Amino acid sequence: MLGADLADLLGSRIPADHSRSVLADELAARYLARADRPPAPRVLDLGCGAGDSVDLFRSLEPRVQWTGADIEQSPEVAQRTRTDAEFVTFDGEHLPFADRSFDLVYCKQVLEHVRRPEPLLAEVARVLDPGGWLVGSTSHLEAFHSRSTFNYTPYGLMLLLEHARLDLVEVRPVIDAFTLIAWRALGTPRFFYRWWAREPPPYRAISLIAGPARWDHRTVNTAKLVLSGQFTFLAHPVRAPE
């Protein structure tokens, strides 16, 4: 099986409910659909860039308390024009918030740009409520883009999160590496936009193999993760012993 070693290391963190691609937005929506979440959830968009995720969160929950945090200078921050939300600048490591300030930290395609991820993830654990969620996505086999500094494997991210006292709960494939590389090589033509909402050809090939081979969803997810350009993740703070 493609990725059997990864499956052994991650265990149930590779889901078995379905094997379609999942964006970080869907994980955020899942949190906001929870019956036990706060009525006015406190959301931190870590690495918010232009700040466009505020529209997603307000459409899902108008009472959301959204805060965007980013470094002072980046290509995405330079494109920011909106003034209808709270934006905070930080040094890339130390978050200027009190302990347990947020119910959800949303970190979409940011970690691959972080020079020192270990202290930043420790800060995420600090500012998250004990019942909060960290959701996001990051690069795996993606070409250099927008000053990226690292690519992560799902296993490597799990180790980083554990060191920061965050428990990786779930990883899912987003888009495959071959499609992202072709997109980058050809100058990102709009033709490729369709593959964020539809299964791209390499993933479709895996799905076609899965039928005759009688692969379950977890096996398909594993194969897609091995060849992924990006993957999503969900993590919870590690609860202190009582």
Side-chain angles (χ1 to χ4, degrees):
M1 184 188 84
L2 179 61
D5 50 352
L6 181 64
D8 289 342
L9 290 167
L10 295 186
S12 62
R13 297 175 182 86
I14 301 177
D17 54 346
H18 66 78
S19 51
R20 58 180 173 78
S21 298
V22 171
L23 298 177
D25 302 16
E26 186 172 331
L27 297 181
R30 192 201 304 176
Y31 174 81
L32 292 176
R34 289 169 56 98
D36 61 347
R37 54 90 169 166
R42 302 163 299 169
V43 172
L44 172 64
D45 184 339
L46 181 59
C48 64
D52 293 338
S53 84
V54 69
D55 296 324
L56 166 69
F57 284 99
R58 287 175 178 169
S59 69
L60 294 169
E61 173 49 78
R63 295 171 294 179
V64 70
Q65 302 176 62
W66 185 97
T67 302
D70 212 325
I71 59 175
E72 184 174 1
Q73 293 182 339
S74 75
E76 292 76 20
V77 169
Q79 296 173 7
R80 186 190 303 157
T81 57
R82 65 188 312 156
T83 58
D84 61 341
E86 180 182 359
F87 295 99
V88 174
T89 297
F90 77 114
D91 63 2
E93 293 185 22
H94 306 94
L95 293 171
F97 308 107
D99 296 357
R100 304 183 178 187
S101 292
F102 297 99
D103 305 299
L104 177 70
V105 174
Y106 174 82
C107 185
K108 183 176 180 180
Q109 294 306 127
V110 172
L111 290 179
E112 67 271 21
H113 305 283
V114 176
R115 295 183 184 182
R116 284 170 39 86
E118 294 92 342
L120 179 59
L121 288 172
E123 282 285 272
V124 169
R126 180 183 65 80
V127 303
L128 261 179
D129 184 84
W133 287 21
L134 165 64
V135 302
S137 60
T138 192
S139 296
H140 178 205
L141 301 174
E142 184 171 10
F144 175 79
H145 62 286
S146 187
R147 304 180 189 176
S148 59
T149 55
F150 294 105
N151 279 14
Y152 295 85
T153 67
Y155 175 66
L157 181 62
M158 181 184 75
L159 296 179
L160 278 172
L161 292 171
E162 287 178 350
H163 187 68
R165 295 192 57 75
L166 292 162
D167 182 22
L168 180 65
V169 176
E170 179 179 308
V171 287
R172 295 182 187 266
V174 177
I175 192 169
D176 69 281
F178 304 105
T179 299
L180 282 184
I181 291 170
W183 189 3
R184 176 73 165 167
L186 297 174
T188 64
R190 296 186 64 85
F191 168 82
F192 286 92
Y193 289 5
R194 71 182 70 186
W195 304 124
W196 295 101
R198 295 164 51 185
E199 190 172 48
Y203 280 177
R204 189 177 303 167
I206 291 174
S207 296
L208 290 174
I209 294 170
R214 297 181 180 274
W215 288 358
D216 60 14
H217 287 305
R218 183 168 180 269
T219 304
V220 175
N221 277 326
T222 301
K224 289 181 176 181
L225 280 168
V226 169
L227 301 179
S228 65
Q230 300 174 0
F231 62 90
T232 55
F233 56 86
L234 162 64
H236 298 162
V238 174
R239 295 184 180 275
E242 298 181 0

